[in-house]
Amino acid sequence: SCERKRESERKSESESEGDQEALSETLTLIGCCYSLMKDNEKAEKMHKRALIIRLKCLSVSHPLLAESLNYLGEALKNMGKYEEALPCLIRALGVREKVYGDNHPAVAHVLGFLAEVYSNLGRFHEGEINFVRCIMICEDFFHPLHPNLISNLRSYGSLLFRMGRMVEGRSFLTRALDIFLKSGGENESV
């Protein structure tokens, strides 16, 4: 009788953990929908809820924990809450580097957001370091005309402009435009 009760409790805990992970996944997806709709306040709330669940249920180096940190950091960045976004993105980067290694697109994804946050905080040198690393990973991993390069090249070019390095900035912006046009973007508005 005691053994059945313990087995039932273990089964219940296992089901509860599965339910919690399903809930965190659903919250993450809803948060992503809100982000696409540019409702970053609601996205932030969903990603925070998912993160709280994942912090309770997952190891500190689990890729889904990094996912929640990255999405929360993105939502905070999009709302101009750069100081709040920074620790989320730094932690997400650490987890992704541990899980995937230093040169993986998931690492580049966080680096791009981190570079934008540093740039918006006026920490241009740190922004530049992260943009350069992000672009190098994207260039190594993706096709030369891959759309993922466009936003990073454009953002890095804009940072270089802000730093007074107009010629360098223009070259990155021109490269982003070339990729856009060569990848079929000529039919879309620039």
Side-chain angles (χ1 to χ4, degrees):
S1 157
C2 287
E3 187 59 38
R4 274 192 236 145
K5 183 178 178 184
R6 275 189 233 128
E7 181 62 34
S8 176
E9 287 172 357
R10 278 193 292 267
K11 185 177 178 183
S12 179
E13 285 175 16
S14 176
E15 288 173 357
S16 177
E17 286 176 14
D19 291 345
Q20 291 296 302
E21 184 47 44
L23 176 59
S24 71
E25 185 177 336
T26 302
L27 291 167
T28 298
L29 292 170
I30 294 169
C32 291
C33 288
Y34 281 130
S35 288
L36 289 171
M37 296 175 355
K38 308 292 186 217
D39 191 341
N40 291 297
E41 288 180 12
K42 288 182 182 173
E44 175 192 11
K45 288 177 185 171
M46 294 297 115
H47 292 308
K48 273 186 180 176
R49 287 180 61 194
L51 178 60
I52 289 167
I53 293 168
R54 287 177 171 175
L55 284 168
K56 290 177 186 173
C57 298
L58 303 174
S59 74
V60 295
S61 61
H62 197 285
L64 291 176
L65 183 63
E67 176 185 76
S68 287
L69 290 162
N70 186 66
Y71 284 136
L72 178 57
E74 179 185 11
L76 292 166
K77 172 190 74 74
N78 290 341
M79 292 187 299
K81 297 180 178 182
Y82 306 119
E83 293 289 347
E84 292 179 55
L86 195 57
C88 293
L89 295 170
I90 289 171
R91 189 164 172 199
L93 177 63
V95 173
R96 285 189 172 175
E97 286 175 330
K98 185 175 180 179
V99 171
Y100 301 115
D102 293 339
N103 295 310
H104 189 277
V107 171
H109 192 180
V110 180
L111 287 168
F113 291 145
L114 196 52
E116 288 181 44
V117 167
Y118 280 130
S119 299
N120 285 312
L121 288 170
R123 295 165 64 176
F124 298 144
H125 180 69
E126 291 159 294
E128 181 175 18
I129 289 169
N130 285 283
F131 272 133
V132 168
R133 187 169 164 219
C134 172
I135 291 167
M136 288 174 62
I137 293 169
C138 289
E139 288 173 333
D140 286 346
F141 194 86
F142 297 120
H143 182 276
L145 298 179
H146 196 281
N148 279 12
L149 283 166
I150 296 170
S151 64
N152 292 310
L153 291 168
R154 190 178 60 228
S155 294
Y156 182 43
S158 296
L159 171 62
L160 292 170
F161 266 41
R162 290 175 68 191
M163 296 171 74
R165 293 161 53 189
M166 304 299 181
V167 174
E168 285 178 88
R170 186 183 65 223
S171 71
F172 282 93
L173 292 169
T174 301
R175 186 167 162 219
L177 179 61
D178 287 345
I179 293 170
F180 177 76
L181 295 173
K182 288 177 182 173
S183 63
E186 66 272 354
N187 296 325
E188 300 176 27
S189 61
V190 178

